[in-house]
Amino acid sequence: IHTHVNAAQSVTPGVARASRAMLAAGIRDVRNQGVLLKGVNTSTEQLLDLCFALQDEAGILPYYFYLCDMIPNAEHWRISVGEAQRLQHSIMGYLPGFATPRIVCDVPYVGKRWVHQLEEYDRERGISYWTKNYRTGIELSDPDALERRYEYYDPIQSLPAAGQAWWREHAGTEIEVAMLRANSAARASQQASALLVGSH
């Protein structure tokens, strides 16, 4: 069973009773997949408090913490990939290995990646570049799926002044290019999917 707890205060006695009841009933694992939310669980102390509460009070294994997706109206919750990397490093050694969560980025068109698995990172502009090592069913006929680099963008407010200035000057152009790439990838995916469905 996967829970979705993002703050130590949410690990109430009721949550602990429910989790322990599941374990007592024979459920092998109760794991937590949370989301990193700026100011809620993004300091070393906040994340460790949450992990200890999950593990010690409720028997819930801290499993993954995702970077918040690049979605509208969520910028205030997001942290940069660099901040996530520092956070992953800062919690190492405090928890048993099996209870040390992985901090991951769910990169569009790539999927879950540990935050240290990026190929390249422009920290000033907040653009990280990722690759994938597998094809999904809809990419079987896409020869570039494993060669392509996929972008993930840090929140603007997390960037240094020079990076924020660059985005103010270039945002329209960069966004248009990113949209063209995304639309092209979506079309290729749809075409591959249609071919896959048509072959059955």
Side-chain angles (χ1 to χ4, degrees), residues 146-168:
L146 303 183
E147 306 301 320
R148 196 174 289 122
R149 292 189 341 155
Y150 301 84
E151 295 92 4
Y152 182 88
Y153 298 91
D154 289 342
I156 299 294
Q157 73 273 9
S158 71
L159 303 181
Q164 291 184 27
W166 187 90
W167 278 105
R168 275 192 296 277

Side-chain angles (χ1 to χ4, degrees), residues 100-174:
T100 301
R102 299 277 189 195
I103 296 179
V104 296
C105 184
D106 196 1
V107 182
Y109 301 105
V110 176
K112 290 188 290 277
R113 289 288 184 265
W114 299 345
V115 290
H116 288 85
Q117 287 184 294
L118 48 77
E119 289 292 314
E120 185 181 340
Y121 189 17
D122 181 340
R123 291 174 185 272
E124 183 171 295
R125 295 179 184 169
I127 307 171
S128 50
Y129 300 92
W130 307 74
T131 57
K132 61 194 305 179
N133 59 337
Y134 64 92
R135 282 189 174 90
T136 62
I138 60 174
E139 296 169 317
L140 292 177
S141 61
D142 181 356
D144 299 322
L146 303 183
E147 306 301 320
R148 196 174 289 122
R149 292 189 341 155
Y150 301 84
E151 295 92 4
Y152 182 88
Y153 298 91
D154 289 342
I156 299 294
Q157 73 273 9
S158 71
L159 303 181
Q164 291 184 27
W166 187 90
W167 278 105
R168 275 192 296 277
E169 186 177 332
H170 297 92
T173 305
E174 190 70 21

Side-chain angles (χ1 to χ4, degrees), residues 2-5 30-34 54 60-65:
H2 285 155
T3 61
H4 188 84
V5 179
V30 180
R31 300 178 186 175
N32 188 68
Q33 291 189 3
L54 287 164
I60 298 173
L61 185 69
Y63 184 50
Y64 277 138
F65 281 96

